């Protein structure tokens, strides 16, 4: 029996350091860290807000624009340029990308503004991202989020601020620890030094412990800052809630002992922690700006029917069991304006058929006001694969056409999001890009 393992393309492999080395490095910052002066704002409503559907929109034709590890932007060589040249290169690269996206008929960009514990906007909570300058906390000389908003809105395109809620770093290398420790003198400093007691290691990276209520409040305050100060059209969390690998699990035993009373299992408690974050963020956004959309892009499989009668006829790693994210429940509770499951498999992949999952999600959202967008695997188009050969047949165009045809034929599916932007520029996708231009372009 084929079983698809959780392997989101958004997972970045990283080398681990020994526990002894890590312990010494963490202890090396001997001076007591300053207390964080930032508190959540506004106060999070404790009672459900009335929900109503947002106005009807044109079909979503979106793309994820990734900044973690500079996968899509900014240009890697811009980081070492002089400040003026760096700003020019980064801004021109965004302009060129938006012009191309516009020509392809893309109407929404999901811009990764919080790739880890740093920001691509002028934040009073997070230090500037080292993706921009090579150094955490260094002012890039302009505000990338504001620049993106100005340029995209000028072209009639929407921008959703895409945030990774819990990731603090993409690795646990000694150089990363040193860079994080060196933010101690900055304002704002990294959460790594401000709230060391929130930091755990999982999937060979530093993450926040999702079971700590204050950490969830802190994440909510970050969302509130972005929503309050920028004319964004939406906020999106990706699929990284609890993220573990078999050899790098999240040790939250102490947190469970402190906060897990009343739960039958740690798994139930973890799912409740994730629910509480989603609930807080949803209500906070609606209090601040009701017309700003809130959505999540989870792994494509909620649960398999072999584990749950309500699950999909699939054999894939499930968000409910792997990431402790009960995504179906969030839709049923009306906490999301949209959900964008990552259905990154072709029609012929029996363990997780595209059509089976798309139709399963369509049935989930049917009795709700939640919109359904489908995340499509542009990164697989044109790539040879023994298990998924359809991606290379005629440049992947027939498979892509089938997926888009299905999305447009099911009333509950409101559009498509492509993962990810830079694959539009790769040689192996050009037949598919030309097809998208002919289908979506003006």
């Amino acid at each position: 029996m084929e079983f698809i393992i959780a392997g989101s393309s958004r997972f970045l492999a990283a080398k681990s350091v020994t526990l002894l080395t890590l312990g010494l490095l963490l202890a090396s910052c001997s001076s007591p860290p300053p207390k964080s002066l930032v508190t959540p704002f506004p106060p999070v409503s404790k009672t459900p807000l009335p929900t109503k559907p947002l106005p009807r929109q044109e079909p979503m034709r979106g793309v994820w624009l990734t900044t973690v590890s500079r996968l899509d932007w900014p240009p890697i060589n811009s980081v070492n340029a002089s400040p003026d040249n760096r700003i020019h290169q980064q801004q021109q690269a965004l302009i060129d990308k938006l012009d191309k996206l516009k020509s392809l008929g893309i109407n929404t960009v999901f811009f990764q503004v919080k790739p880890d514990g740093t920001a691509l906007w002028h934040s009073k909570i997070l230090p500037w991202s080292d993706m921009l300058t090579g150094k955490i906390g260094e002012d890039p000389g302009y505000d990338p989020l504001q620049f993106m908003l100005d340029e995209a809105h000028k072209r009639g395109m929407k921008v959703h601020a895409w945030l990774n809620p819990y990731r603090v770093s993409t690795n646990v290398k000694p150089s990363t620890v040193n860079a994080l420790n060196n933010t101690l003198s900055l304002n704002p400093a990294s959460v790594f030094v401000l709230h060391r007691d929130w930091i755990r290691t999982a999937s060979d990276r530093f993450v926040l412990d999702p079971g700590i209520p204050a950490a969830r409040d802190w994440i909510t305050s970050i969302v509130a800052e972005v929503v309050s100060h920028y004319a964004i059209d939406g906020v999106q969390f990706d699929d990284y809630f609890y993220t573990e690998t078999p050899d790098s699990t999240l040790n939250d035993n102490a947190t469970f002992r402190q906060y897990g009373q009343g739960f039958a299992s740690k798994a139930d408690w973890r799912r409740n922690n994730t629910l509480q974050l989603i609930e807080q963020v949803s209500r906070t956004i609606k209090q601040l700006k009701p017309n700003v959309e809130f959505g999540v892009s989870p792994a494509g499989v909620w649960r398999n029917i072999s584990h749950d009668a309500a699950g999909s006829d699939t054999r894939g790693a499930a968000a409910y069991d792997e990431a402790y994210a009960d995504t179906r429940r969030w839709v049923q509770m009306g906490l999301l304006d949209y959900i964008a499951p990552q259905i990154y498999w072709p029609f012929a992949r029996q363990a997780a058929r595209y059509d089976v999952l798309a139709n399963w999600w369509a049935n989930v959202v049917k009795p709700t006001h939640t919109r359904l967008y489908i995340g499509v695997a542009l990164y697989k188009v044109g790539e040879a694969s023994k298990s998924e050969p359809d991606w290379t047949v005629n440049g992947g165009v027939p498979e892509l056409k089938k997926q888009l045809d299905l999305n447009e034929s099911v009333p509950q599916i409101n559009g498509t999001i492509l993962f990810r932007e830079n694959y539009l520029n790769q040689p192996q996708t050009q037949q598919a890009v030309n097809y998208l231009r002919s289908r979506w372009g003006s």
Side-chain angles (χ1 to χ4, degrees), residues 54 227 230 232-235 285-286 289-294 337:
L54 290 165
V227 172
Y230 294 88
I232 57 173
D233 301 289
V235 170
I285 291 171
K286 295 310 171 188
K289 291 182 181 176
N291 289 327
V292 171
E293 296 186 43
F294 177 46
D337 294 304

Side-chain angles (χ1 to χ4, degrees), residues 145-158:
L145 175 54
Q146 188 59 57
F147 185 81
M148 166 64 88
L149 287 166
D150 291 342
E151 293 296 326
H153 287 167
K154 189 189 302 181
R155 291 164 175 77
M157 301 165 72
K158 294 184 176 181

Side-chain angles (χ1 to χ4, degrees), residues 36-38 41 119 121-127 187-189 225 229:
S36 173
L37 301 179
V38 178
F41 59 93
W121 73 92
H122 196 282
S123 175
K124 294 181 179 178
I125 307 173
L126 301 172
N187 183 19
E225 180 182 61
H229 295 122

